[in-house]
């Protein structure tokens, strides 16, 4: 699947995600009319913003792999993308590699029927928009760097959730080796 087709599928997923999640920070906030609905133009802007952040992180992550002679990760698995966006939403509630229900972060992959033999997760929360700094912080952390540079991983997806709280962005990198 080419990048343009993946982006189209991701946009459709994120649009549904934004509507279901109630927009930025779980509802309220700017862009709502009197009945609480989010303006469609604001939804489109948010989708563009989140996808741009995710795409930048994927590109920067692959650049780090290529510097080390490790093949770039594919980002064409829509089910992996769904899991990454779901985890980004969840880490606002519970910022760890455990889901709000107490299960492993990797059960999100099972929820979306992702087929894998190995998986990794990097998480981050930020108050600013800086994909390059996000990847730099992960590269300066041994465990996160290990996920980024693991030659066994074949696929990546990045989920980004925008909040109205102290931290504006909740970011998840999911890595898998496909089954």
């Amino acid at each position: 699947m080419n990048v343009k087709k993946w982006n189209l599928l991701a946009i459709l997923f994120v649009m549904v995600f934004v509507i279901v999640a109630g927009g930025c920070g779980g509802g309220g906030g700017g862009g709502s009319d009197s009945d609480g609905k989010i303006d469609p133009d604001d939804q489109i802007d948010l989708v563009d913003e989140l996808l741009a952040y995710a795409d930048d992180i994927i590109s920067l992550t692959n650049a780090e792999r290529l510097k080390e002679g490790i093949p770039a990760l594919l980002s064409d698995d829509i089910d992996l993308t769904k899991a990454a966006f779901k985890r980004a939403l969840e880490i606002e509630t519970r910022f760890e590699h455990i889901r709000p229900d107490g299960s492993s972060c990797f059960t999100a992959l099972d929820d979306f029927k992702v087929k894998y033999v190995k998986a990794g997760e990097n998480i981050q929360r930020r108050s600013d928009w800086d994909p390059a700094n996000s990847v730099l912080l992960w590269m300066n952390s041994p465990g996160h760097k290990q996920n980024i540079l693991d030659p066994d991983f074949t696929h990546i997806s990045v989920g980004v959730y925008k909040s109205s709280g102290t931290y504006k962005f909740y970011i998840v990198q999911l890595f898998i080796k496909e089954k």
Side-chain angles (χ1 to χ4, degrees), residues 104-158:
S104 163
C105 61
F106 302 118
T107 61
L109 298 170
D110 302 331
D111 290 352
F112 292 98
K113 313 258 186 289
V114 175
K115 294 177 178 25
Y116 65 98
V117 294
K118 181 177 180 178
E121 177 184 73
N122 289 345
I123 63 175
Q124 192 174 120
R125 57 187 174 192
R126 304 186 58 85
S127 57
D128 63 341
W129 172 277
D130 193 342
N133 186 257
S134 289
V135 174
L136 177 66
L137 290 172
W138 280 322
M139 288 300 292
N140 287 329
S141 168
H144 297 108
K145 181 177 181 176
Q146 182 178 351
N147 279 338
I148 289 171
L149 298 181
D150 189 327
D152 289 341
F153 289 135
T154 57
H155 288 74
I156 185 175
S157 191
V158 173

Side-chain angles (χ1 to χ4, degrees), residues 41-143:
D41 290 336
D42 290 341
Q43 289 179 5
I44 300 279
D45 291 344
L46 179 60
V47 167
D48 289 344
E49 182 179 9
L50 298 180
L51 288 175
Y53 202 117
D55 283 345
D56 287 349
I57 288 177
I58 291 169
S59 295
L60 293 163
T61 298
N62 277 330
E64 293 294 337
R65 290 174 65 88
L66 293 172
K67 282 188 218 173
E68 299 296 324
I70 303 166
L73 296 161
L74 300 174
S75 59
D76 60 355
D77 186 324
I78 192 64
D79 294 325
L80 184 60
T81 299
K82 291 174 186 177
F85 274 91
K86 175 70 172 178
R87 286 291 298 137
L89 174 64
E90 290 178 346
I91 64 171
E92 182 187 31
T93 302
R94 187 171 184 168
F95 187 73
E96 54 186 312
H97 299 288
I98 303 293
R99 297 181 74 188
D101 67 3
S103 63
S104 163
C105 61
F106 302 118
T107 61
L109 298 170
D110 302 331
D111 290 352
F112 292 98
K113 313 258 186 289
V114 175
K115 294 177 178 25
Y116 65 98
V117 294
K118 181 177 180 178
E121 177 184 73
N122 289 345
I123 63 175
Q124 192 174 120
R125 57 187 174 192
R126 304 186 58 85
S127 57
D128 63 341
W129 172 277
D130 193 342
N133 186 257
S134 289
V135 174
L136 177 66
L137 290 172
W138 280 322
M139 288 300 292
N140 287 329
S141 168

